[in-house]
Amino acid sequence: MTAPFRSKPPVQNLFVVNHDPNRLDDVYINMLGTNGDRLLTEEVKWLAVTHKSFDHGRRGFNERLAFLGRRIYNLQISLALIHKPSSNPPPPPDSYGRVPFQHLALEGLENLTEESKSLTTETKNQARKRLAQLAERYGFGNVIRWKPKRASNLYSSGYEMVYAQAILAVVGAIALQRGGEVANKIVRERILDPLGLQS
């Protein structure tokens, strides 16, 4: 037996997804610079900004590209930490007159210890939040294809993870299409520099 009317109003979860390739090209130009829209093929450009929630993942999604992009991103963060001058004080003088071994190649290695990493880098949530803010600054919020759980509240739908995954997927796509050298340069100049971590 059914009720003659609904006890709750129907949930309106309308979220408009971009289908305009010109708007997508503008975002790639914002992120990658002049001719940034020509670095990737049309299919890969759309794939990099498609989350698996869009169309139930039938058209392909950016998870694997984001995995590769995250590895490149983490590598560049580690290299930036190694090249950063060490903030540790010099060791105290030894009572026996011994001098610790020092070399230029080992100078920034102390920055990679867990203790110093925790001081200079952030937790996963903080890093994801900063990447999402950077993606929003580049305009990814207007072109990412996804289906939020609640269109009225994107934060509770996990927009930070979706936006961060999209910006890392672009890096992974560039690595596959243009090579690692171009992808590393993009990460250094277009992601790490705006986040304040120069290598």
Side-chain angles (χ1 to χ4, degrees), residues 90-118:
D94 189 37
S95 60
Y96 297 105
R98 295 178 290 190
V99 178
F101 178 75
Q102 293 181 346
H103 192 271
L104 288 176
L106 301 175
E107 200 171 286
L109 201 57
E110 293 173 352
N111 293 334
L112 289 181
T113 62
E114 288 302 319
E115 183 180 302
S116 65
K117 254 186 167 180
S118 65

Side-chain angles (χ1 to χ4, degrees), residues 97-193:
R98 295 178 290 190
V99 178
F101 178 75
Q102 293 181 346
H103 192 271
L104 288 176
L106 301 175
E107 200 171 286
L109 201 57
E110 293 173 352
N111 293 334
L112 289 181
T113 62
E114 288 302 319
E115 183 180 302
S116 65
K117 254 186 167 180
S118 65
L119 296 175
T120 56
T121 58
E122 313 145 322
T123 65
K124 278 186 178 181
N125 290 336
Q126 291 170 331
R128 184 182 305 137
K129 184 176 185 176
R130 290 184 66 186
L131 274 176
Q133 289 170 348
L134 183 63
E136 188 72 38
R137 221 180 316 158
Y138 284 138
F140 275 87
N142 299 325
V143 296
I144 292 179
R145 301 193 304 178
W146 68 304
K147 173 90 169 99
K149 185 175 181 181
R150 292 186 190 95
S152 60
N153 188 355
L154 295 181
Y155 180 78
S156 67
S157 297
Y159 86 96
E160 288 178 348
M161 187 172 129
V162 173
Y163 287 17
Q165 186 172 349
I167 201 167
L168 293 174
V170 170
V171 172
I174 290 172
L176 288 176
Q177 295 248 311
R178 296 293 176 171
E181 187 177 335
V182 177
N184 288 328
K185 182 180 176 190
I186 294 293
V187 170
R188 282 192 306 268
E189 294 176 359
R190 300 295 182 161
I191 296 177
L192 294 183
D193 284 351

Side-chain angles (χ1 to χ4, degrees), residues 7-82:
S7 59
K8 288 185 187 178
V11 177
Q12 296 294 325
N13 196 22
L14 298 174
F15 184 76
V16 180
V17 177
N18 176 47
H19 296 288
D20 183 13
N22 293 330
R23 188 185 288 179
L24 182 67
D25 288 343
D26 291 342
V27 170
Y28 278 101
I29 290 170
N30 285 344
M31 180 182 174
L32 305 174
T34 309
N35 295 329
D37 56 332
R38 296 184 185 152
L39 285 176
L40 300 172
T41 62
E42 285 298 317
E43 182 181 351
V44 175
K45 281 195 283 190
W46 284 108
L47 185 66
V49 296
T50 303
H51 187 256
K52 64 182 171 182
S53 64
F54 178 71
D55 198 20
H56 303 288
R58 284 190 288 248
R59 299 187 197 184
F61 47 92
N62 62 5
E63 201 165 87
R64 292 178 183 171
L65 292 174
F67 178 80
L68 177 61
R70 189 173 295 111
R71 299 287 79 84
I72 295 169
Y73 172 73
N74 288 338
L75 170 70
Q76 290 303 315
I77 286 179
S78 296
L79 289 174
L81 287 174
I82 285 176

Side-chain angles (χ1 to χ4, degrees), residues 1-7:
M1 188 167 166
T2 60
F5 56 89
R6 292 181 58 100
S7 59

